[in-house]
Amino acid sequence: MSRIGIFYGSSSGVTKSAAEKLAELLGEDRCDLYSMEEDFVDFDEMLDYDFLLFGCSTWGSGEVQNDWRDPLLDLDNDKPDFSGKTIAVFGAGDYVSHGEQFVSALGILHDKFKARGATLVGTFPTEGYTYKYSFAERDGQFVGLPFDDVNEADKTAERLERWVASLQAVLPEAEEA
């Protein structure tokens, strides 16, 4: 069976909860969860997976969550090759307090891994979201799944389910035994 690695950074537990729900929706038997703070060793472990999901909330003025900062610096220095890897990104934001940079960290992750040869999938419509600006918006779509558990917690479960349904079409097929 194809393997899915879910790597997330989470300060308040929101992105971790989303990662756990994604593993449940995709099939816990095929998903491995990794906290970027507690479990991440190096990028080689990521390359062992058929499909990668990266979760990151946006902090400050559009920055990645702290657990992703050092790994992204290592990514820039080591320049690992992600060619042939399929990646999707997801993350939390707060459109009321940080609508001027809503989920911009997703755009940062998208660009960093695309520059390393990865195929990025999992765009999500901007309709139904309220925000001023997002570095994660490209051609009228978000580059991944944004959610806002501060202001729209009631919409998160449905958005996760819709996103997983869209990812099913691009997930690698189960390997033949």
Side-chain angles (χ1 to χ4, degrees), residues 2 4 26 30 50-53 84-88 119-123 163-174:
S2 60
I4 301 169
L26 290 164
R30 69 189 298 203
D50 302 304
F51 189 77
L52 296 160
L53 295 176
K85 294 298 172 188
T86 303
I87 297 172
T119 300
L120 277 290
V121 299
T123 61
W163 193 57
V164 166
S166 74
L167 291 178
Q168 296 293 352
V170 296
L171 284 171
E173 296 296 321

Side-chain angles (χ1 to χ4, degrees), residues 96-111:
V96 172
S97 297
H98 301 286
E100 71 286 346
Q101 287 291 337
F102 183 64
V103 299
S104 287
L106 300 184
I108 293 169
L109 289 179
H110 174 276
D111 291 356

Side-chain angles (χ1 to χ4, degrees), residues 54 75 80-85 87 89 106-121 138-139 143:
F54 295 150
L75 183 72
D81 185 6
F82 277 81
S83 297
K85 294 298 172 188
I87 297 172
V89 295
L106 300 184
I108 293 169
L109 289 179
H110 174 276
D111 291 356
K112 293 276 187 184
F113 287 95
K114 186 174 183 176
R116 303 297 176 282
T119 300
L120 277 290
V121 299
R138 312 286 167 83
D139 299 321
V143 297

